[in-house]
Amino acid sequence: MAEKRAAEALAAQRKSDAELVSERRSNSELTKQLASVVDKKAKLQEVQSDLDGRMKEMADKITEQTAELDAQRLAVDEARARQEDASAQATSAQAQVIDLSRQEERHSQELEELRLHLENALADLASARGETERKLTEAEALSQQKLGQVQREAAELEATKSELQRQFGVLEEQSSVFRDCLLYTSPSPRDS
C-alpha cells in the first residue's frame, strides 16, 4: 500500500515536474512571443514614426504645392486681367485707328478738293496773266502808237509854234510900222 502511495506520489511528482517543465517551456515561448511582440511594436513605432515623418513631409509638400497653386492661380488671374485689359486697349486702339483712318480719308478728300481748287485757281491765274500780258502788249503798242502820234503832234505844234512866232515877228514888225504911221497921221487934239 505504501508502495502504491509512493508510486502515486512519484507519478504525481513526475506529472508535476512535467507540467512545470511544460509551463516553463510555455513561459519561455510566451517570453519569446512577448519579446517578438515588443520588437514588432518597436518596429511598428518606427514605421509609425517614419509614416508620421512622411505624412508631415507630404503635408508640407501639399501645403507648399497648395501655396504654389494659389500663386499660380493668382498669376493666372492677373494674366487674365492683363489680357482683358490688353484686349480692351486693343479694342480702343482699333477704334482709334478706324477714327484716324476716317479722319485721314476726310483730310485726303479735303486735300484733293484743295488741289483741284488750286489747279483751277492756277489755271485762272495763268489765263488772267495771259490776258493781262495781252492787254499790256496791246496797251504798250497803243502807247507806242499814241506816243508816236503825240510826238508827231508835238513836232507839228513845234512847227506851228515856230510858224506863229515867225508870223508874230512879222506882225510885230508891221505893227511897229503901223504905230509909227498912226503916230504920224493921228489928229492932234487941237485939230478937233
Side-chain angles (χ1 to χ4, degrees):
M1 185 104 177
E3 291 178 359
K4 185 178 180 181
R5 287 182 181 173
E8 288 178 357
L10 181 60
Q13 182 66 38
R14 286 178 180 172
K15 184 178 179 182
S16 178
D17 288 342
E19 288 178 356
L20 183 61
V21 170
S22 177
E23 187 178 349
R24 285 180 180 173
R25 286 178 183 171
S26 179
N27 287 337
S28 176
E29 289 177 2
L30 287 174
T31 303
K32 288 180 181 179
Q33 289 177 0
L34 182 61
S36 175
V37 167
V38 170
D39 186 47
K40 287 180 180 179
K41 184 178 179 182
K43 287 181 179 179
L44 283 174
Q45 287 178 349
E46 290 179 2
V47 170
Q48 184 66 37
S49 177
D50 185 49
L51 286 175
D52 289 340
R54 290 182 182 181
M55 289 291 290
K56 187 177 183 305
E57 289 179 1
M58 289 179 66
D60 292 341
K61 286 183 179 179
I62 289 173
T63 302
E64 183 180 352
Q65 289 177 357
T66 302
E68 290 178 357
L69 286 174
D70 290 339
Q72 290 177 0
R73 189 177 296 110
L74 181 62
V76 168
D77 291 339
E78 290 177 354
R80 186 177 293 111
R82 286 195 298 270
Q83 184 178 4
E84 291 175 355
D85 187 31
S87 177
Q89 290 179 357
T91 303
S92 176
Q94 186 176 6
Q96 291 178 357
V97 167
I98 292 172
D99 187 39
L100 288 174
S101 298
R102 290 175 180 170
Q103 290 181 4
E104 184 179 2
E105 185 177 354
R106 285 196 301 272
H107 290 163
S108 297
Q109 292 176 353
E110 291 175 357
L111 286 174
E112 182 65 19
E113 291 176 359
L114 287 173
R115 186 183 66 79
L116 292 174
H117 182 69
L118 182 61
E119 287 180 355
N120 292 331
L122 288 174
D124 293 341
L125 182 62
S127 176
R129 181 178 179 182
E131 183 68 17
T132 303
E133 289 178 354
R134 185 184 64 78
K135 288 181 178 180
L136 285 174
T137 303
E138 291 178 358
E140 185 177 358
L142 184 60
S143 297
Q144 291 292 333
Q145 183 180 357
K146 287 184 177 181
L147 179 62
Q149 184 178 355
V150 167
Q151 287 177 349
R152 286 193 299 273
E153 290 176 356
E156 291 176 359
L157 287 174
E158 187 65 29
T160 302
K161 179 182 176 182
S162 298
E163 180 62 23
L164 289 174
Q165 287 177 349
R166 185 187 64 77
Q167 291 178 4
F168 184 74
V170 170
L171 290 174
E172 281 287 331
E173 291 177 2
Q174 291 176 356
S175 174
S176 176
V177 171
F178 289 142
R179 188 179 303 114
D180 291 342
C181 291
L182 287 174
L183 288 175
Y184 181 75
T185 59
S186 61
S188 173
R190 292 177 299 190
D191 293 337
S192 60

